[in-house]
Amino acid sequence: MSESRASAAPSEVSQDNAEPEEQIQPVVAVILAAGLGVRFDESNPKQLVQVGGKPIIAWSIDAFQFNARVTDILVVVNDRVREAVEAIVGDDTYDKVRTVIQGGIERMDSTEAALQTLAEAEIPQDAKLLIHDAVRPFVSQESINGCIDALDTFNAATVAVASTDTMLMAGDLGERKVVRQVPDRDNMFRAQTPQAFRFGTLRKAYDLAAADPDFHPTDDTRVVVDRLPEEPVAIVAGSVTNMKITLPSDVPMAEWIARSLAG
Amino acid sequence: MSESRASAAPSEVSQDNAEPEEQIQPVVAVILAAGLGVRFDESNPKQLVQVGGKPIIAWSIDAFQFNARVTDILVVVNDRVREAVEAIVGDDTYDKVRTVIQGGIERMDSTEAALQTLAEAEIPQDAKLLIHDAVRPFVSQESINGCIDALDTFNAATVAVASTDTMLMAGDLGERKVVRQVPDRDNMFRAQTPQAFRFGTLRKAYDLAAADPDFHPTDDTRVVVDRLPEEPVAIVAGSVTNMKITLPSDVPMAEWIARSLAG
């Protein structure tokens, strides 16, 4: 573990001794694949399900491996998928994958583990991180590039798509969910990934959140919005094909998108 | 116009002279097909696009025509689709379609027109209304029945699906959308249709809303939640296949769902 963490150093240069102009700023993709998929099928990890002829996680890693601006990839797994993921990234194709680390029970724990690894690798505070859900296999290069560009102006950005549905904020009434509020649709976006941050910004937000054991955000943007409210999070255009595979019933649609992309 | 409105009377009985036990309570489906589809293709009304071998609006009307509990159907159109819709519902199959009326520029105007027609037809205050977007062709019978059942306990209900995506509430920062708030995902639902109401409840909410020219809700649930906040709106389970056709890029997915349903 310590050996693989050491190899996570994204570049040979350090912040102190390189000319800023010559330094290649790390752009690190963190692929989160430690989810248990309780809404999917716990005996069949969704990260590893084949669509369009390859495992879902291979699609996700490919998107960053083949983006010329991404310098390094870190994959976060759990024990159930570790062996399979290591076999996949063991292929010579994946020469940007620096390490495969252990995640945690919640999404936040997995991001925290990645931040810890990156801190130990002494990546610069202004390194660009792209945190991506392994189960969004069809992220576009436009969205990845949009995130990298947005971090030139903002310290945080997220891929999202405008909601074509009106959203309802619900609450409980006895056994039943009832509608409490209906926000304006024009300002409602469906968060996707990658979510992008300057390393120092996300680290700071997570450090502030660590003090609150009752905080269980479902994405990293939430951590920044809640803990660093003065920090604007830019929205980068996503796409409806950048779907998240959550339920077994999502797989046929994923197959269909995989075929469309191949065609 | 006045003639077709008169024929909208959903049943021969009135509230005053029938035994409650013997009265067939009207269950009226209102199909909203007056949208201009500005995000689709204004020269090719999305309501009339063929998927799986029939126009989208025919799928929507079929769902209510073939539900045994629905007693009456009212279709709301604009001038561009009126002729085509009248040709479709002219078929003997559609014996529950009482009238095709003119809608308005905004969704709210179309619902308002339907309420006016139903008031003139003197439907009882406790009649059940199911307001459905014509461009959601694949609504399930389970969702329609769920709405009809929910109105036995509640005066308002809406079909919705739990959001698998984290939702972002955004605002403007210069030219750019930025994230303002990230609500808890567990309580976020994507509104679908039908949205169901006791006639008197929706009428009252619309009467209250009429006083406010700046109120432009994108669904009917919003009108009730905002104007009758003491009235709980029950959530009825929808499905991911109950998609709304908004963009031309939604059509291939609709074709795919149509094929799945046929298979």
Side-chain angles (χ1 to χ4, degrees), chain A:
Chain A
M1 189 66 194
S2 61
E3 194 181 12
S4 70
R5 279 189 177 177
S7 70
S11 67
E12 297 302 309
V13 296
S14 83
Q15 263 186 303
D16 303 318
N17 59 11
E19 292 296 314
E21 285 75 18
E22 293 182 8
Q23 181 183 330
I24 297 170
Q25 188 183 48
V27 177
V28 183
V30 175
I31 312 290
L32 298 180
L36 287 175
V38 290
R39 288 178 287 179
F40 194 84
D41 173 358
E42 291 194 59
S43 65
N44 183 26
K46 59 185 179 173
Q47 304 92 318
L48 304 177
V49 166
Q50 299 256 336
V51 297
K54 63 182 175 184
I56 284 170
I57 191 171
W59 284 91
S60 304
I61 300 175
D62 283 357
F64 296 91
Q65 173 66 40
F66 298 119
N67 182 297
R69 300 165 73 187
V70 172
T71 57
D72 307 270
I73 299 172
L74 188 159
V75 186
V76 186
V77 297
N78 60 31
D79 284 335
R80 290 186 27 240
V81 302
R82 171 182 284 276
E83 201 172 333
V85 170
E86 285 180 337
I88 291 166
V89 302
D91 188 283
D92 287 346
T93 311
Y94 297 110
D95 64 353
K96 293 181 185 173
V97 178
R98 304 289 165 233
T99 185
V100 175
I101 69 165
Q102 190 74 12
I105 303 287
E106 294 193 33
R107 192 183 196 291
M108 212 179 156
D109 302 325
S110 294
T111 298
E112 180 72 55
L115 292 176
Q116 184 61 32
T117 298
L118 295 171
E120 288 169 14
E122 296 182 354
I123 71 163
Q125 293 297 306
D126 67 350
K128 295 178 173 182
L129 300 193
L130 304 171
I131 302 186
H132 186 66
D133 288 339
V135 291
R136 291 194 185 270
F138 308 121
V139 58
S140 71
Q141 293 301 312
E142 289 76 9
S143 292
I144 294 174
N145 288 325
C147 282
I148 297 171
D149 291 338
L151 290 185
D152 290 335
T153 313
F154 296 86
N155 291 320
T158 181
V159 174
V161 287
S163 182
T164 54
D165 294 324
T166 296
M167 297 302 303
L168 310 173
M169 292 177 76
D172 297 307
L173 182 72
E175 298 288 289
R176 193 126 193 176
K177 287 280 182 192
V178 296
V179 181
R180 297 283 184 218
Q181 193 190 330
V182 188
D184 282 333
R185 187 179 63 188
D186 288 350
N187 280 322
M188 294 302 292
F189 287 78
R190 293 160 56 191
Q192 297 185 335
T193 67
Q195 302 197 332
F197 309 90
R198 293 281 184 174
F199 173 61
T201 301
L202 191 60
R203 193 91 202 281
K204 189 170 162 196
Y206 266 79
D207 284 348
L208 292 167
D212 180 359
D214 295 327
F215 187 53
H216 302 281
T218 49
D219 76 348
D220 296 298
T221 294
R222 170 77 180 270
V223 183
V224 171
V225 169
D226 273 29
R227 303 296 141 156
L228 299 173
E230 74 287 357
E231 197 68 80
V233 181
I235 291 179
V236 171
S239 60
V240 288
T241 50
N242 186 19
M243 68 178 291
K244 183 176 179 179
I245 294 165
T246 304
L247 304 169
S249 57
D250 295 331
V251 174
M253 201 170 282
E255 282 286 0
W256 178 79
I257 294 171
R259 277 198 301 275
S260 320
L261 294 175

Side-chain angles (χ1 to χ4, degrees), chain B residues 21-169:
Chain B
E21 287 74 20
E22 293 183 10
Q23 181 184 330
I24 297 170
Q25 186 184 49
V27 176
V28 183
V30 175
I31 312 290
L32 298 180
L36 287 176
V38 289
R39 288 177 287 179
F40 195 83
D41 173 359
E42 292 193 59
S43 64
N44 182 27
K46 59 184 178 174
Q47 305 91 320
L48 303 177
V49 167
Q50 299 257 337
V51 297
K54 64 182 174 184
I56 284 170
I57 190 170
W59 283 91
S60 303
I61 300 174
D62 283 357
F64 297 91
Q65 174 66 39
F66 299 119
N67 182 299
R69 300 165 73 187
V70 172
T71 57
D72 307 270
I73 299 172
L74 188 160
V75 186
V76 187
V77 297
N78 59 33
D79 284 335
R80 292 188 23 241
V81 301
R82 173 183 283 277
E83 201 172 331
V85 170
E86 284 179 340
I88 292 166
V89 302
D91 187 283
D92 287 346
T93 309
Y94 296 110
D95 64 352
K96 294 181 186 172
V97 177
R98 304 290 165 234
T99 183
V100 175
I101 69 164
Q102 190 76 12
I105 302 287
E106 292 192 35
R107 192 182 196 293
M108 213 178 155
D109 302 325
S110 294
T111 298
E112 180 73 54
L115 292 175
Q116 184 61 30
T117 298
L118 294 169
E120 288 169 14
E122 296 182 354
I123 72 163
Q125 293 297 306
D126 68 350
K128 295 178 174 183
L129 301 194
L130 305 171
I131 302 187
H132 186 66
D133 287 338
V135 290
R136 289 194 188 269
F138 309 121
V139 59
S140 71
Q141 292 301 311
E142 290 76 9
S143 293
I144 294 173
N145 288 326
C147 282
I148 297 170
D149 291 338
L151 290 184
D152 289 336
T153 314
F154 295 87
N155 292 319
T158 181
V159 174
V161 286
S163 180
T164 54
D165 294 323
T166 297
M167 297 303 301
L168 310 173
M169 294 178 75

